Amino acid sequence: MPDSVARQPRPQRPPHATSYLLAAAALALSAPAQDPPSAPSVDRLVNATTASVQETGDLTVDRAGRIWVAWQSRRHRHGRPGVLVQALHADGRRCGGERLLGADLQTAKRPALAAAGTAVWAAWDSTPTKTSAPCRVLLQRVDGAAAAAAQPRPVHDTGRGAQHGVVLAPRADGGVTAVWTEASGPGTSTVWRRSFDAAGAALGAAAALAPPLGSTARQGPSSIAAWPDGRSVAVWATRPGAGGPGALWARRFAADDAAEGPALSLDTDGDALEPCVATIDRAGFVVAWLRPAATGCAVMVRRFDQEARPQGPAHTVSPAGTLQSGAAVVAGADGRACVLWNRHDAYGTADVLHRWLDAPGTPLGPERRATHAHRGSQARPIASGKRAARLCPDGTLVAAWSGDGGLGDAQGAHLAWTAPATPSEGIGPARSERTSTAAPAPHDPPVRTRVPRVAAQPFGGDPNPEPRGDFGFVGIVNTGWDPPDPHLAVGPNHVVQVCNGGIAFFGKDGTRLRQQVLGGGNGFFGPAGASDFVFDPEVVFDPHDQRFIVAAAEDTDPLGGGESWFLLAVSDDADPRGRWHRYRLAATALGGGGDIDSPNLASDARAIYLAADFFTGGDKYLVYALDKAPLLAGSPAPTPQSVRIDGAQSFGLPMIYGSAPALYMLQHDENRRSDRLRLHAIVDPLTTPVRTTFDLTVPSYEPPGAVQQHGTSALVQIFEARFWSCVWRDGSLWAVHHQGILPPRLRWYEIHTNGWPASGATPTLAQTGELDEGPGIATFCGAIGVDENGDALITYARSSTTEPLAIGRVSRRALDPPGVMTDHAVVRVSAGPAGGVRWGDYGQVAWDPYDPCTLWYAHEYAPGASTWNTWIGRQRLCQLAADPRRLPLAQGGTIDLRLRVPAKAGRPYVVLGSISGTVPGFALPLPSRLHIPLNPDLFTESLLAALASPALVGVAGVLDAAGEARASVPFRARPGLTTGVSLYFASIHLGTGWDFASNPVEVQLTP
């Protein structure tokens, strides 16, 4: 183990490793009592800062026996991630204070450490906050040396793609070698390597470990380890873009940094991802990796000699069947090794486990925990290639992990010392079952990494930004905030989109007209005095007064102790490019603290409503009701009427269309299985608000479980079964949330409010349904919208072990059977796994009041590693229906088509057909450029040629005064057609030109 203190010369021997365990045990005596662990171990809280989330740690041990730990602090730099490093004495005491790495105007994430000679090196992913530069890996000596190496420097000066996932290995001369993954094209990546001497000078140029595999293939993550003589070996994973099995590769390097031959394929006997390597003195190396399965991953290990030849078969350390991640391996001087990994329950809550290997690489005995803590969640780094652990001279295992150690910080950076086990002890008892009740993590505000002035690449790096199926276009691209939380609203001629970090105005044809950051002096809310930590924005188009309304939350100190503000902006007319009236409304006193989160926005004919969660002193939900009239005029903001609900949060606040008898809100039961939803009604919200509640019985639901994704063991983080999206229209409250485990799925509801509470009647459940897209497919982070006819559309995220994260869309017509969503479509697919595990948290569906059968939607996808784009799509729901939807081939028959486009009443139309499907469709030539969701073919031509035929009734004509028409198309079997073929129809309509295309409908040909 090259960067272990066991095999590096030093002036004096450090304390015996057992002292780590004894000293840490003494430090832990004052900690709260815990259940007996499954193996002798103690934990130590490393971080001093506790106001943020500490995660993704690494460790190394220098030649003096000190332990160095680095970790990511999620919101340390005023809402941006930062990397902290802390040295500890051998007995667990801190050596000085923790240190924040990197410059003030940079973010820092995912650190790596290595000790080489007298030097300690750190590297991390960094992104400037004031430029559009992509993520870069920076390297710095952190042991207090005054040399030039003490200043951060990029590992690849001339690299053009985003860099991430750095891992370090020490060099015999006191320098260090880094390997990292770098984007080489949209959706593709390559692993790079570069060495630096003890002064921090680069030893040659950065070089790819192997040539790129193809235009859609991905390399990485990677891992590296060194032998005592200065030689090193790097391993990495590859995965073809088509979703085939992954493979592992290795390449060896001499002490002078010269490659010892080409890249070598490691025989792993199956699909493989996320390797970690450890060297064994003069005896080769050992690799741990994950083998994905339908549910979870198996943890695998195999030993190789110094020529990368297998030494025995691959061994299963822990079989598939559970959610497992973060596989790593450490090796000792005696040839034994230890594999560590995370095991997650159905909700993603983790334990850190370990299992020993004998000298030939065979697993010994059962698994056991590597931490003393076993309540809450404990996890080691995921998908990183970092070992984040060391074996001490006596075999004691020291591991870095993050989570709840029961030591005062439930989201802290920790070390665990675990006593060695011997064969005579049977390696220790099997891990005991978790004693706590798992539940999704509480919602956490977004993280800000950078705010670029312009997109670094056209369309956010999407190589194919054209619509697939529905008309749509790329919206706001990565602003550097995580997650994006996209939201949108639609007026007569414009689409306004907001997300964390930005606001943009688009024409309805997708033309970007303006984009601006949200916070700071130059931001959209700057004239109101907003700081630069403005987050969770929402936007609506108020149909009562034809204005755009934007709202967001502001926290003046994301690390705690700051002030909470509601931010509000109202456009002066229906064109967002004109003047806006902006307001900043204090919420600290009524909310009870400076921790505002998850704001909501709604409006009705008289009022604008703002609401948000607060947590200080217990959960609270605060609602402001503001008289709309002075806000529309740009007058000073009126004093809001407020309602605060203590002991609860995470409500759904619906946008209101029509005249509602009250302001309705929807609440779920948090963190438990339940068969009720609680409706709240606030009457007289602008004068003397009075709140009434009603518990509605619904099919049982439960907190959502973990979400798996293709190509990585990293689980997507979603939150409780809260109602991010709901809308009230014409007596119905429509809402959507995710719930259930393995996989979680989206549940939607239509609730008739029945004039409650004034009517004396109570709400009733009209219908509900779930989005089951197939075995193992999770559907989550959804949003719902409804048009004036009662047609509904849902956009959502979907993911599984066999498909990448994607944007899905479903819809239903008002005449569809209750509880049914139809017309399922995947409209955008990510190019690879999510760069971070945070996804969502929500999307949005908005009704277009000037195109009444149309709903627009926004959600996110990943065009490449460590980035995101938003997508804005449009579906028209109510224009065209077909009867029957299934037609027997042997009998033929007549297809009746019903057209309903009120906006085109009295205008000509033509019905088109296709037998080749709806994607990608085609556009009419200039000047129209109308996109039609059909693929032109012989069937299209035959319909057009027969428009004058008496057999085709109403296929071309004029809509009546209600915007309706009927058409009929006879069909008889023709040679060459077989079952499985479908006919597709859509209509186009004349306005100023052919400017409107309906939804496509499918008629299946059956036996």
Side-chain angles (χ1 to χ4, degrees):
M1 191 172 64
D3 44 351
S4 166
V5 298
R7 289 186 298 281
Q8 291 189 17
R10 47 191 171 273
Q12 59 181 16
R13 185 182 180 187
H16 194 275
T18 306
S19 66
Y20 294 150
L21 191 62
L22 297 176
L27 288 167
L29 287 177
S30 60
Q34 302 184 58
D35 293 345
S38 60
S41 61
V42 291
D43 300 319
R44 175 75 163 95
L45 180 65
V46 176
N47 57 286
T49 299
T50 59
S52 186
V53 179
Q54 323 300 322
E55 55 195 350
T56 321
D58 197 11
L59 71 84
T60 191
V61 181
D62 68 18
R63 64 187 301 171
R66 291 173 299 187
I67 305 171
W68 292 74
V69 185
W71 66 94
Q72 173 183 324
S73 184
R74 191 170 186 268
R75 292 190 307 278
H76 208 84
R77 295 180 182 274
H78 304 288
R80 300 185 294 269
V83 164
L84 293 167
V85 64
Q86 175 71 63
L88 299 95
H89 294 289
D91 61 5
R93 293 178 296 113
R94 293 188 180 99
C95 300
E98 61 190 21
R99 177 180 168 193
L100 185 63
L101 301 182
D104 187 55
L105 296 180
Q106 294 177 335
T107 67
K109 299 187 292 183
R110 296 182 285 268
L113 288 174
T118 61
V120 177
W121 296 91
W124 61 93
D125 304 349
S126 178
T127 309
T129 59
K130 298 297 183 181
T131 73
S132 59
C135 184
R136 288 285 180 259
V137 171
L138 299 183
L139 176 72
Q140 182 180 8
R141 184 168 173 171
V142 295
D143 56 4
Q151 298 300 316
R153 63 154 299 159
V155 296
H156 193 186
D157 314 67
T158 59
R160 295 184 179 180
Q163 303 162 6
H164 59 93
V166 62
V167 183
L168 300 177
R171 290 175 49 83
D173 61 2
V176 70
T177 299
V179 293
W180 67 93
T181 302
E182 188 166 315
S184 50
T188 66
S189 57
T190 304
V191 175
W192 291 73
R193 177 185 183 275
R194 197 177 195 184
S195 292
F196 302 83
D197 65 18
L203 300 173
L209 286 177
L213 296 178
S215 60
T216 60
R218 301 191 306 275
Q219 298 180 12
S222 57
S223 184
I224 189 169
W227 285 281
D229 61 6
R231 298 168 63 240
S232 63
V233 58
V235 300
W236 67 97
T238 61
R239 184 164 292 274
L248 299 186
W249 297 80
R251 196 167 190 186
R252 298 166 296 122
F253 295 86
D256 63 0
D257 223 34
E260 294 183 334
L264 301 171
S265 175
L266 299 182
D267 184 5
T268 55
D269 301 326
D271 198 355
L273 52 82
E274 299 169 9
C276 180
V277 63
T279 53
I280 304 171
D281 265 358
R282 294 173 294 279
F285 58 94
V286 59
V287 179
W289 70 94
L290 294 167
R291 176 172 293 168
T295 300
C297 295
V299 180
M300 308 297 296
V301 68
R302 194 170 198 178
R303 202 168 152 171
F304 301 85
D305 66 14
Q306 293 206 33
E307 305 301 317
R309 293 176 297 217
Q311 302 296 288
H315 295 284
T316 301
V317 178
S318 182
T322 57
L323 304 179
Q324 300 184 125
S325 67
V329 62
V330 292
D334 61 358
R336 287 202 309 168
C338 185
V339 176
L340 301 95
W341 71 98
N342 301 317
R343 176 171 295 161
H344 306 263
D345 64 17
Y347 296 100
T349 305
D351 284 330
V352 181
L353 305 180
H354 72 296
R355 193 174 182 189
W356 292 88
L357 313 174
D358 63 14
T362 304
L364 294 171
E367 66 202 25
R368 58 179 182 174
R369 274 197 306 272
T371 65
H372 179 70
H374 59 287
R375 290 188 174 91
S377 185
Q378 303 86 40
R380 52 167 280 103
I382 297 173
S384 69
K386 299 178 179 69
R387 290 185 293 279
R390 293 293 183 272
L391 283 180
C392 299
D394 70 341
T396 298
L397 176 66
V398 184
W401 57 275
S402 59
D404 189 355
L407 301 172
D409 188 353
Q411 297 176 312
H414 294 78
L415 287 180
W417 286 262
T418 304
T422 65
S424 62
E425 294 172 341
I427 305 303
R431 159 186 177 268
S432 61
E433 290 301 313
R434 176 175 296 280
T435 58
S436 63
T437 301
H443 182 253
D444 204 19
V447 169
R448 173 184 53 183
T449 56
R450 63 185 170 94
V451 185
R453 296 190 182 94
V454 294
Q457 301 179 63
F459 308 109
D462 192 330
N464 183 21
E466 295 301 316
R468 300 185 354 159
D470 296 347
F471 169 78
F473 50 89
V474 175
I476 297 175
V477 303
N478 193 348
T479 62
W481 290 68
D482 183 25
D485 296 340
H487 213 261
L488 87 163
V490 183
N493 300 303
H494 301 92
V495 176
V496 174
Q497 186 189 23
V498 293
C499 66
N500 282 317
I503 181 171
F505 309 151
F506 298 88
K508 287 187 173 180
D509 61 356
T511 302
R512 186 188 306 266
L513 304 173
R514 185 179 302 171
Q515 183 166 337
Q516 189 176 10
V517 299
L518 285 175
N522 295 321
F524 178 75
F525 284 110
S531 67
D532 62 355
F533 195 73
V534 176
F535 61 97
D536 288 357
E538 294 190 357
V539 58
V540 298
F541 183 80
D542 185 279
H544 311 281
D545 293 286
Q546 292 77 51
R547 305 289 187 90
F548 286 99
I549 305 172
V550 178
E554 179 195 355
D555 184 346
T556 59
D557 183 1
L559 289 179
E563 296 177 330
S564 294
W565 300 84
F566 284 114
L567 299 175
L568 177 66
V570 181
S571 65
D572 68 343
D573 58 20
D575 188 337
R577 296 172 296 177
R579 184 181 176 189
W580 288 78
H581 310 307
R582 296 173 175 87
Y583 303 91
R584 189 172 184 240
L585 306 171
T588 310
L590 288 175
D595 54 2
I596 188 171
D597 193 19
S598 302
N600 302 124
L601 166 67
S603 70
D604 60 20
R606 295 181 55 207
I608 293 175
Y609 304 99
L610 304 172
D613 295 343
F614 293 81
F615 305 94
T616 301
D619 290 348
K620 297 177 288 294
Y621 190 72
L622 176 65
V623 182
Y624 277 2
L626 296 109
D627 186 348
K628 193 195 300 182
L631 302 174
L632 297 177
S635 301
T639 301
Q641 291 288 342
S642 65
V643 175
R644 196 177 83 179
I645 304 171
D646 293 339
Q649 45 97 17
S650 304
F651 285 55
L653 185 71
M655 180 61 191
I656 298 168
Y657 295 96
S659 179
L663 170 64
Y664 295 111
M665 299 184 297
L666 193 57
Q667 178 188 1
H668 73 290
D669 276 338
E670 280 194 282
N671 300 330
R672 69 188 183 97
R673 191 178 183 89
S674 179
D675 60 358
R676 68 170 193 165
L677 300 176
R678 174 161 290 182
L679 276 75
H680 299 250
I682 300 177
V683 298
D684 297 325
L686 288 177
T687 53
T688 54
V690 177
R691 181 171 58 93
T692 306
T693 64
F694 176 78
D695 288 346
L696 178 69
T697 300
V698 298
S700 179
Y701 64 92
E702 59 187 326
V707 174
Q708 301 177 87
Q709 52 176 326
H710 176 60
T712 180
S713 67
L715 301 175
V716 177
Q717 182 184 9
I718 59 176
F719 298 98
E720 70 271 13
R722 67 187 300 160
F723 289 97
W724 289 106
S725 173
C726 52
V727 59
W728 186 91
R729 182 157 212 154
D730 300 327
S732 287
L733 179 61
W734 297 77
V736 63
H737 66 166
H738 46 227
Q739 66 85 36
I741 57 174
L742 294 179
R745 290 194 170 118
L746 217 60
R747 170 88 63 84
W748 62 273
Y749 305 86
E750 182 190 8
I751 300 166
H752 288 164
T753 50
N754 299 326
W756 171 77
S759 66
T762 56
T764 54
L765 180 63
Q767 59 176 326
T768 184
E770 287 194 4
L771 299 190
D772 183 352
E773 302 287 73
I777 298 176
T779 54
F780 54 98
C781 293
I784 192 167
V786 185
D787 70 12
E788 62 183 3
N789 301 301
D791 306 320
L793 183 144
I794 295 174
T795 186
Y796 57 96
R798 54 180 281 159
S799 179
S800 76
T801 58
T802 58
E803 66 173 51
L805 281 158
I807 301 173
R809 183 269 294 153
V810 295
S811 58
R812 61 169 279 111
R813 273 69 175 178
L815 298 179
D816 286 341
V820 173
M821 285 283 171
T822 61
D823 200 12
H824 296 235
V826 177
V827 298
R828 217 67 185 162
V829 178
S830 294
V837 295
R838 188 80 175 267
W839 198 256
D841 297 317
Y842 51 83
Q844 171 67 351
V845 178
W847 175 59
D848 187 338
Y850 295 88
D851 194 352
C853 294
T854 298
L855 291 163
W856 295 73
Y857 56 92
H859 222 301
E860 69 170 300
Y861 69 104
S866 299
T867 190
W868 53 259
N869 281 355
T870 62
W871 180 259
I872 296 173
R874 181 190 71 195
Q875 189 185 24
R876 293 188 170 112
L877 293 173
C878 61
Q879 305 89 358
L880 188 65
D883 184 34
R885 299 298 293 271
R886 295 174 181 267
L887 191 67
L889 256 179
Q891 301 173 15
T894 298
I895 302 167
D896 292 319
L897 299 169
R898 301 185 306 279
L899 290 80
R900 185 174 184 276
V901 189
K904 299 297 180 184
R907 305 298 294 173
Y909 70 87
V910 175
V911 175
L912 303 177
S914 171
I915 206 168
S916 303
T918 63
V919 178
F922 71 101
L924 293 180
L926 292 173
S928 173
R929 295 289 294 176
L930 176 67
H931 182 268
I932 300 171
L934 298 175
N935 296 329
D937 54 26
L938 291 176
F939 185 48
T940 313
E941 294 177 8
S942 65
L943 272 182
L944 289 172
L947 286 180
S949 170
L952 297 180
V953 178
V955 173
V958 176
L959 297 178
D960 64 17
E964 298 182 355
R966 288 184 174 270
S968 60
V969 178
F971 178 83
R972 52 184 182 144
R974 288 182 172 84
L977 289 182
T978 61
T979 58
V981 172
S982 291
L983 304 177
Y984 302 88
F985 298 92
S987 60
I988 60 174
H989 299 259
L990 188 66
T992 56
W994 292 103
D995 57 7
F996 184 94
S998 77
N999 57 290
V1001 295
E1002 178 184 12
V1003 178
Q1004 296 178 348
L1005 304 181
T1006 63

